[in-house]
Amino acid sequence: MTPDRRTFLTFATTGTAAFALFGCRDADAGAPEKFPFTLTDAQWKQKLPPAAYEVLRHENTERPGSSPLNNEHRAGTFSCAGCGQANYSSKTKFDSGTGWPSFWKPLPNAVRERKDGSLGFTRTEVHCSRCGGHLGHVFDDGPQPTGLRYCMNGVALSFKPGAA
């Protein structure tokens, strides 16, 4: 069978539809997680600036290179912009060249991870263990000693200078 334009378009349309319907779904999500700090959606929207609200509460991603925290090099602590929980020490921050603040390790019990299949492939999402706010994703291409790169959205974090 020689492929013609109609055959190509039929397969392309079918493939696109299948990807849209099935390719962007994650595995069984299970029961919703519970967090110690909760607000209603209206309260979150009132509390947070629009960009932070979209990232923390709706898992959006900020533009790479847009966060001032990407160039923050002082000693201190990076905390969740939603609830204020300390998430990362400046001692674990490194320049990943990605345009987002990156860390090789979170503070103990500061984050939770879950599988994210929203783009049609599986990544590991990182969120605050206190409020559930979306912080970013973790990848296995970071520096030693962990080999991990916690690639965080700067608008999801705040920075407090001082001992880290």
Side-chain angles (χ1 to χ4, degrees):
M1 175 174 141
T2 304
D4 59 10
R5 183 176 176 184
R6 181 175 293 184
T7 304
F8 172 77
L9 290 174
T10 300
F11 282 115
T13 303
T14 304
T16 301
F19 180 76
L21 291 172
F22 306 110
C24 292
R25 292 189 180 173
D26 203 355
D28 181 23
E33 294 180 79
K34 301 217 184 261
F35 299 96
F37 183 90
T38 59
L39 296 175
T40 65
D41 190 60
Q43 290 170 319
W44 281 118
K45 197 167 193 170
Q46 184 176 13
K47 175 182 174 60
L48 299 168
Y53 170 77
E54 288 301 321
V55 169
L56 285 162
R57 306 318 308 168
H58 294 283
E59 300 176 4
N60 202 344
T61 301
E62 70 185 354
R63 240 180 34 260
S66 64
S67 173
L69 294 183
N70 199 37
N71 295 315
E72 180 58 68
H73 302 293
R74 295 175 291 172
T77 304
F78 294 84
S79 300
C80 175
C83 70
Q85 173 174 263
N87 299 120
Y88 297 93
S89 165
S90 62
K91 293 176 184 173
T92 65
K93 187 173 188 286
F94 70 100
D95 183 5
S96 66
T98 62
W100 289 281
S102 297
F103 306 85
W104 50 264
K105 182 175 95 172
L107 292 169
N109 304 312
V111 302
R112 291 188 193 171
E113 298 175 7
R114 68 176 160 221
K115 296 297 176 199
D116 171 9
S118 64
L119 294 180
F121 58 92
T122 303
R123 301 180 293 171
T124 302
E125 178 193 358
V126 177
H127 55 105
C128 176
S129 65
R130 183 168 182 246
C131 71
H134 172 79
L135 301 174
H137 291 85
V138 61
F139 303 95
D140 62 1
D141 59 359
Q144 293 304 317
T146 64
L148 300 174
R149 172 176 51 97
Y150 287 83
C151 192
M152 302 294 100
N153 290 283
V155 296
L157 300 171
S158 62
F159 178 74
K160 182 178 179 184

